[in-house]
Amino acid sequence: MPYILMFCASLLLVSVFSAPVQADNPIESKSYEPGEMVILDEAKAGKFVDSLDDLAQIRAQMGDQGQNDPLRIKPAILTEQNYAPYRTAVKALNEESPDDYATIKALAEKHGFTSAEDWAETADGVLLTFFYIQQEKEGRTIEDKMREQLTPEMMAKIPASHKHMVDNALKMANKINQVPEENEQIVRGLLPKLEVAMSKNL
C-alpha cells in the first residue's frame, strides 16, 4: 500500500498549516515525545491479528465507524496519539465509556490477553511495525518524503509559532525507523493474515 506513505507525509504537513493561529495565545512550543516503543511478543502479536475479525463486529455494534471511531485502523497512525493510538483509545474508553471498555476487555480476554490495556499495547506495536514495513517497499521513508516537501519556499510560508510543529512531525517520522528488528520479523510472518484482517477495520 504505497499510498500510505504519501498520505502520512502530507497529513503531517497539512496539520502544520491548518492549526489555528491565535495572536493572544500563541501555540506553546512543546517537546513531542513519541509513545514508548512496544517490543512485541510473537504469541501476542498472533492473538491480536486473530482478534481483528471480532473487533470489526464490535465496532459495528458500537455504532461509530466514521473518522472519529477510536478503534478504526488508520494509515495516519504516525499522527495518532504519539504512536499509541490504541493505548490512548482504551484509556479514554475506561474513563468515559465503561460499557465499551468492558466490551474491549472481553475481546482481549477472549483472545488470551490479560487486559484491554495488554491488547492495546500489542495493537500499537503490530500496527506501527506494519507501516514501517510498508514504507520499505518504496525505498524511501516517510521522513524522506516529508523533507522533500519542506522546500525553502514552503518553510517560508509556515508561521514562526508553528515551526515547532514541523520539528515534531519530523521527529515522529524518524521514530518509525527505530522499529526493533525482532518486531519486523514477527510482523512479516503475520503479513498475509494481517493484511486481510486489517481491511475489515480500515
Side-chain angles (χ1 to χ4, degrees):
M1 290 185 282
Y3 72 91
I4 288 173
L5 301 182
M6 187 58 71
F7 180 81
C8 289
S10 299
L11 187 58
L12 285 168
L13 290 175
V14 166
S15 68
V16 172
F17 290 104
S18 61
V21 179
Q22 300 176 1
D24 296 331
N25 184 25
I27 297 173
E28 295 180 7
S29 179
K30 300 178 181 179
S31 62
Y32 203 60
E33 292 301 327
E36 182 179 353
M37 185 74 72
V38 176
I39 304 300
L40 289 174
D41 173 271
E42 186 171 5
K44 284 186 178 181
K47 291 175 182 177
F48 167 70
V49 175
D50 290 339
S51 77
L52 286 172
D53 284 347
D54 286 340
L55 179 63
Q57 296 177 14
I58 287 171
R59 290 175 55 238
Q61 292 169 8
M62 287 181 177
D64 183 2
Q65 292 182 276
Q67 292 293 325
N68 294 325
D69 178 357
L71 297 172
R72 176 176 173 242
I73 292 174
K74 304 171 188 175
I77 194 170
L78 288 178
T79 67
E80 296 294 324
Q81 305 296 340
N82 296 1
Y83 297 105
Y86 298 94
R87 283 169 283 182
T88 300
V90 164
K91 182 176 185 293
L93 290 175
N94 189 25
E95 295 172 350
E96 302 167 10
S97 183
D99 290 343
D100 288 342
Y101 174 79
T103 300
I104 297 302
K105 182 174 182 289
L107 166 73
E109 292 175 347
K110 173 183 176 180
H111 289 277
F113 292 92
T114 59
S115 65
E117 290 76 12
D118 186 24
W119 174 86
E121 181 177 275
T122 298
D124 285 338
V126 168
L127 295 174
L128 179 62
T129 304
F130 173 79
F131 291 121
Y132 165 77
I133 291 171
Q134 294 303 306
Q135 76 174 5
E136 287 188 334
K137 291 183 177 180
E138 286 197 345
R140 289 189 301 159
T141 67
I142 293 170
E143 183 182 7
D144 292 334
K145 290 179 175 292
M146 288 182 63
R147 292 190 182 279
E148 289 169 6
Q149 294 183 52
L150 290 170
T151 62
E153 293 77 15
M154 178 174 285
M155 290 298 294
K157 297 177 183 178
I158 300 175
S161 60
H162 288 50
K163 297 287 188 184
H164 72 283
M165 296 177 68
V166 175
D167 293 336
N168 292 340
L170 287 169
K171 184 176 184 180
M172 292 181 74
N174 177 265
K175 185 70 174 181
I176 195 174
N177 298 319
Q178 299 176 31
V179 165
E181 183 177 351
E182 54 266 39
N183 282 17
E184 182 180 358
Q185 292 175 350
I186 289 170
V187 174
R188 282 192 182 280
L190 294 168
L191 276 179
K193 189 174 181 180
L194 176 60
E195 289 176 336
V196 172
M198 280 180 59
S199 67
K200 299 178 182 180
N201 289 282
L202 286 170

